[in-house]
């Protein structure tokens, strides 16, 4: 929250904080609901392996994005 408050301009600071909380709640909601739905169709082991694979792909993509951004700057 300190980073968002420090980086956001004075006028839209409330909107920036609302976006932060929205992202946080979605980050808590989406994996739980997604895994719950996946375990209704698949075994727990397969659902967790799929979730792990998704996390690895997204993590690698974010690392690549961060390294590309760093090279440009």
């Amino acid at each position: 929250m300190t980073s968002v408050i420090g980086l956001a301009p004075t006028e839209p600071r409330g909107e920036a904080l609302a976006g932060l909380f929205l992202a946080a709640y979605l980050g808590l909601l989406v994996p739980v609901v997604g895994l719950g739905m996946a375990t209704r169709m698949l075994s727990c082991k397969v659902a967790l392996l799929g979730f792990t694979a998704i996390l690895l792909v997204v993590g690698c993509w974010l690392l690549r994005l961060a390294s590309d951004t760093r090279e440009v700057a």
Side-chain angles (χ1 to χ4, degrees), residues 10-68:
T10 306
E11 288 290 321
R13 190 170 289 158
E15 294 173 12
L17 285 171
L20 172 70
F21 283 108
L22 176 64
Y25 284 126
L26 286 176
L28 292 170
L29 174 79
V30 171
V32 172
V33 171
L35 277 172
M37 290 172 47
T39 56
R40 293 182 62 80
M41 296 179 277
L42 308 166
S43 69
C44 283
K45 185 176 183 178
V46 173
L48 286 173
L49 285 173
F51 181 65
T52 303
I54 291 170
L55 286 179
L56 286 172
V57 169
V58 170
C60 290
W61 177 70
L62 289 173
L63 282 173
R64 183 177 174 122
L65 184 67
S67 68
D68 289 346

